[in-house]
Each structure stands twice: as C-alpha cells, then as structure tokens.
Amino acid sequence: MNREDASDLLAFLAVARERSFTRAAAKLGMTQSALSQIIRNLEERLGVRLLNRTTRSVTPTQAGERLFLSVGPKFTEMDADLAALSELREKPAGTIRLTATEFAAAEILLPALRKILPKYPDIHVEVIIDYGLTNIVAQQVDAGIRPGELVAKDMIAVRVSPDLRMAVVGSPSYFAERKRPKTPQDLTHHNCLNLRLPTHGGSLYAWEFEKNGRELNVRVEGQLVFNSAGLLLDGALKGLGLAYLTEGHVQPYLSQGRLVRVLSDWCPQFSGYHLYYPSRRQPSPAFSLLVEALRYRGK
C-alpha cells in the first residue's frame, strides 16, 4: 500500500463512519470539497463506487460497506498499537548505569532506589563502585555521584546530600597502646590505613586538614593500603590503624563506642555529594524519576 492509498482510505473511513462529508471534513481538518475530491480519486483508482451521495445522506455502497468492514478494524488496531508505543515511551523504563563511591551508593543511592524500584519494575540500575573521577561519557555511564567540588563545570550537578565532614578514627584497642594525635603532624607516629586512588597514577590519598585558615595535605604512612573505603572502616574497627573517612560513614560506630574520633578540630567540611551528568543528555522518564528521588531538599 502506498502513502496516497493509505491517506485516502483514512478519508473514506471517516466519511463512512460519520455518514457525512461535513462532519468527516471537520474531524480531518480539511475542506468538504477537498475531501470529496479525495473520495472521487479513490473510487477512480479502485474502479468501483464506494459511497452513495444524496442531498440528505451519505451511505456506503455494497463495495464501500465491504471495504469499511475489512479495512476499518485494521486501522483501528494500528492506532491502538501506536498508542501503546507512546505509552511505553512515557512509562519509566530502561537501564541506568551509575558510578558512585561505596558510602554514596549505600547511604544515598540505595535509599532512593528503595522508594522507586518496587513501583517501577521496568527500571533497572547498574551501580559501579569507583573512587576515581570517571569519564562517564567515555565509559558509557549515565551519571555519577561525587562531592560537588570534584564535578566538572560542564556537567549538570544536582545536590543529593548536605555538606559533609571528614573524620579520623581508630578503635579503643588501637588507642590503648598509643597516644591520641593532637595535630596532623602527630600522625607520623601512627599506623594509618591508606586508600589508593585509581586517578593520578594510582597515588595514595593525602589526608586533608584545615584549621584557622591553614590547610595541610598529609601523606600518611602505615602497613596497610586498600582501594575500598569499606575495608578502611573494617581495618579501623579491628584495631589495625587509623582511618580517614566521612562522618556519615563512621557515626554509627562512634555512637556505639566501637570507634574513637581524633583531630576533629582539624577536619574540614566539604561540599556534599552531587549527582552529575552531561548537559547535552536528554533525561528519560526513568532517569528524571531517579534525579527527583535523589534530589536533596535540605531540612
């Protein structure tokens, strides 16, 4: 079927359904004379009369009635299929790939997903744990979660947490045999648990301190190096050394007395976590739903 036949058949179906050129023309958004010409052209191509026209009524001929009953349901079915596709486009669905640190994934992302995933079974989320500044475009990742100060300026950034602070912590058993540090310089006498970052050639993370406008980046030393904040926490809990983690990560263990905090007056506050994604990205319904679930609205 060519495009002209399909268009003319739709015009015929409208007239046969309405039993009126006037009403059918109004529904099709064309003049009555243009519609009449379309029907005449269709009849000429088919070589059969489709409609009986009088001054008072329009009724299908026997051939027209046969065409109406055979073709009409097919077009109705196609309309229903197109409507179903449109509904699917608007329904939140699809796979979203995200990169985040362990803490951000556990404390920020998972609670948001717990709210939306049960309601939208067609949404699937893949979470990639990473401490580097992942190039989400090159790695075909939809979005990342990192502290706001690390997000590139050309990205759209949505705050998903309040501002955060770091904490230096150790177990009571660790401090039973060592003096607590009073300044960052005292860390040279302590066994510190290091975190190796994949960025900058895989260097060890320098612990960042600040007090009275004075900033210090300290390269600590110790017997253990991890590439996971979760292992840093486990190591500190087991008395293997001091760990440098976010307050939120260690707060439950501080409250339970399983960890002790030191150098709190030296630990700076930094911008909270942000969800970031390319400015040219056109958010899908599923992605927009996730953004709204994660968006931090303050207290």
Side-chain angles (χ1 to χ4, degrees):
M1 181 189 300
N2 60 42
R3 185 176 300 177
E4 184 180 14
D5 285 340
S7 177
D8 291 354
L9 282 173
L10 286 172
F12 162 73
L13 293 173
V15 177
R17 190 178 296 112
E18 296 295 331
R19 298 293 200 269
S20 166
F21 275 90
T22 302
R23 290 193 297 272
K27 286 201 169 187
L28 294 171
M30 62 175 64
T31 64
Q32 183 177 341
S33 60
L35 179 58
S36 296
Q37 186 61 47
I38 289 173
I39 299 300
R40 282 195 294 270
N41 291 341
L42 178 61
E43 290 175 331
E44 289 177 4
R45 290 202 305 278
L46 295 177
V48 64
R49 191 174 184 83
L50 298 174
L51 296 169
N52 290 318
R53 306 166 178 82
T54 68
T55 56
R56 294 186 178 182
S57 65
V58 177
T59 57
T61 64
Q62 184 177 0
E65 186 69 21
R66 180 177 176 180
L67 182 63
F68 178 77
L69 292 176
S70 63
V71 174
K74 293 182 175 66
F75 276 90
T76 300
E77 184 178 350
M78 284 190 289
D79 285 340
D81 289 341
L82 291 173
L85 287 176
S86 178
E87 180 182 347
L88 182 61
R89 184 187 67 238
E90 298 301 327
K91 182 180 179 181
T95 298
I96 302 172
R97 300 184 75 231
L98 299 167
T99 170
T101 63
E102 283 178 278
F103 175 73
E107 300 299 324
I108 298 172
L109 183 57
L110 291 185
L113 294 178
R114 185 179 180 184
K115 295 178 181 178
I116 63 175
L117 291 186
K119 298 178 182 178
Y120 301 96
D122 293 325
I123 295 178
H124 301 273
V125 179
E126 179 181 351
V127 182
I128 303 163
I129 301 302
D130 186 6
Y131 290 91
L133 297 178
T134 302
N135 185 329
I136 59 176
V137 176
Q139 297 298 321
Q140 297 183 327
V141 176
D142 295 297
I145 300 178
R146 295 290 188 277
E149 60 201 27
L150 301 180
V151 176
K153 299 299 182 184
D154 61 344
M155 293 283 174
I156 293 177
V158 179
R159 179 182 281 270
V160 296
S161 84
D163 286 343
L164 303 170
R165 289 184 70 206
M166 299 303 293
V168 179
V169 295
S171 70
S173 63
Y174 175 86
F175 286 118
E177 300 178 358
R178 297 170 179 85
K179 293 182 179 180
R180 299 184 186 186
K182 298 184 182 303
T183 68
Q185 290 85 346
D186 294 339
L187 292 173
T188 58
H189 305 295
H190 285 270
N191 202 356
C192 297
L193 306 176
N194 265 302
L195 175 67
R196 188 176 296 282
L197 297 175
T199 54
H200 305 296
S203 61
L204 299 179
Y205 176 62
W207 294 12
E208 301 171 76
F209 298 101
E210 179 184 346
K211 185 175 182 180
N212 299 327
R214 181 187 177 191
E215 297 182 3
L216 292 175
N217 287 346
V218 179
R219 299 284 179 182
V220 298
E221 295 184 359
Q223 294 175 284
L224 287 170
V225 178
F226 299 108
N227 67 347
S228 161
L231 289 174
L232 289 179
L233 177 60
D234 287 343
L237 288 168
K238 290 179 171 59
L240 295 174
L242 299 183
Y244 185 75
L245 296 161
T246 58
E247 278 185 334
H249 212 157
V250 300
Q251 188 57 53
Y253 305 97
L254 294 173
S255 301
Q256 298 166 11
R258 297 180 61 191
L259 288 176
V260 176
R261 183 173 185 177
V262 294
L263 299 177
S264 59
D265 55 335
W266 278 93
C267 290
Q269 188 176 67
F270 63 93
S271 59
Y273 283 104
H274 286 64
L275 177 79
Y276 67 97
Y277 54 95
S279 58
R280 63 177 177 273
R281 175 189 172 92
Q282 296 297 320
S284 65
F287 188 79
S288 297
L289 190 69
L290 177 63
V291 171
E292 286 307 305
L294 286 169
R295 189 186 300 275
Y296 176 71
R297 294 173 175 79
K299 294 183 178 180

